[in-house]
């Protein structure tokens, strides 16, 4: 299984500001995924990030709000832009397993917007 | 730290008993189904998966059952232990290779 590290693990931010979350994987992976988990809720896919191409966003998520970078096969960032209290969530980075079925997750970034 | 799953359905079991967690999925074209365990302050952890051409798969102390007729998935945990306390999510790997997560169930184990 892949080891995934996310930074920061948590943050409290002022509304209107932006936060960039980093995801580092200990092996090269083709696809990386970003999820949001709102309080008391399940996980919702934000976007899929492939190296060398623009991220693919799910319905309800747009690049201006959640810009993603994928500069190489082991790293990605997700930025939460112009934050509001509704953006308070856990944001999770994920990669596919070797069998391209199961996914492995980082520990998440717990964001609180005040 | 803050708990995941504050408003999720809760299953309470006594230590040593068996637990059964259920999940309904939506996409009949999904080809893999996966169970995850999420402890407070951590990301989801893979437990076990099952292909759509199977109806049962066993792991260590866990069994997953798949009923495609009614689009139902269950996770059975034998001899539940305090360390099993967590939120459990099912997920389906759809025909577009995306994971769709179920709503989750919080398992509480009491002595």
């Amino acid at each position: 299984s892949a080891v995934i590290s996310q930074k920061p693990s948590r943050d409290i931010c002022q509304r209107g500001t932006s936060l960039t979350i980093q995801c580092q994987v200990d092996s090269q992976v083709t696809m990386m995924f970003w999820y949001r988990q709102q309080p008391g809720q399940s996980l919702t896919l934000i976007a899929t990030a492939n190296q060398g191409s623009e991220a693919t966003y799910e319905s309800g998520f747009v690049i201006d709000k959640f810009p993603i970078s994928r500069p190489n096969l082991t790293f990605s960032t997700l930025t939460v832009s112009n934050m509001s209290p509704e953006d308070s969530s856990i944001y999770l980075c994920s990669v596919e397993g070797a069998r391209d079925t199961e996914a492995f997750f980082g520990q998440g970034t717990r964001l609180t917007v005040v | 730290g803050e708990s995941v799953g504050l408003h999720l359905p809760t299953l309470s079991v006594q230590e040593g008993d068996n637990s059964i967690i259920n999940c309904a999925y939506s996409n009949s074209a999904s080809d893999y189904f996966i169970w995850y365990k999420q402890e407070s302050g951590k990301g989801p952890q893979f437990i076990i998966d099952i292909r759509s051409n199977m109806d049962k798969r066993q792991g260590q102390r866990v069994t997953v059952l798949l009923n495609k007729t009614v689009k139902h998935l269950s996770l059975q945990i034998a001899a539940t232990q305090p360390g099993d306390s967590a939120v459990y999510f099912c997920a389906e790997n759809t025909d577009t290779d995306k994971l769709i997560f179920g709503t989750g169930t919080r398992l509480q184990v009491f002595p």
Side-chain angles (χ1 to χ4, degrees), chain A residues 41-58:
Chain A
Q41 302 291 321
S42 187
L43 285 76
T44 301
L45 180 64
I46 298 172
T48 303
N50 291 337
Q51 194 265 336
S53 63
E54 277 199 3
T56 303
Y57 289 83
E58 297 301 304

Side-chain angles (χ1 to χ4, degrees), chain A residues 33-83:
Chain A
F33 306 89
W34 287 98
Y35 287 82
R36 181 175 72 184
Q37 187 175 27
Q38 295 177 301
Q41 302 291 321
S42 187
L43 285 76
T44 301
L45 180 64
I46 298 172
T48 303
N50 291 337
Q51 194 265 336
S53 63
E54 277 199 3
T56 303
Y57 289 83
E58 297 301 304
S59 176
F61 299 97
V62 295
I63 188 171
D64 290 345
K65 176 67 176 178
F66 298 102
I68 289 171
S69 79
R70 183 78 202 275
N72 57 52
L73 291 173
T74 63
F75 187 78
S76 179
T77 67
L78 170 76
T79 298
V80 186
S81 303
N82 188 24
M83 289 183 285

Side-chain angles (χ1 to χ4, degrees), chain B residues 50-63:
Chain B
I50 188 168
R51 288 177 180 266
S52 60
N53 62 356
M54 302 170 68
D55 54 19
K56 180 179 181 179
R57 188 168 186 221
Q58 288 186 290
Q60 187 177 13
R61 276 203 310 121
V62 295
T63 301

Side-chain angles (χ1 to χ4, degrees), chain A residues 100-101, chain B residues 29-34 91-95 97-99:
Chain A
D100 295 336
T101 53
Chain B
S30 295
D31 52 3
Y32 274 93
F33 303 88
I34 308 155
E92 53 184 306
N93 190 331
T94 68
D95 51 356
D97 279 336
K98 296 176 185 174
L99 283 182

Side-chain angles (χ1 to χ4, degrees), chain A residues 10 31 33 35 37 39-45 48 56-58 90 92 94 96 99-108 110 112, chain B residues 1-8 32 34 36 38 40-46 49 57 89-90 93 97-104:
Chain A
R10 61 175 61 224
M31 299 173 75
F33 306 89
Y35 287 82
Q37 187 175 27
Q41 302 291 321
S42 187
L43 285 76
T44 301
L45 180 64
T48 303
T56 303
Y57 289 83
E58 297 301 304
I90 301 171
L92 294 145
S94 168
E96 283 185 326
R99 293 178 292 158
D100 295 336
T101 53
E102 79 277 20
F104 298 100
F105 288 84
Q107 82 279 13
R110 187 178 303 274
T112 302
Chain B
E2 183 179 336
S3 296
V4 171
L6 293 175
H7 308 294
L8 296 174
Y32 274 93
I34 308 155
Y36 287 92
Q38 187 175 28
S40 182
K42 298 183 179 180
Q45 178 185 5
F46 172 86
D49 63 358
R57 188 168 186 221
F89 293 98
C90 67
N93 190 331
D97 279 336
K98 296 176 185 174
L99 283 182
I100 298 176
F101 282 79
T103 54

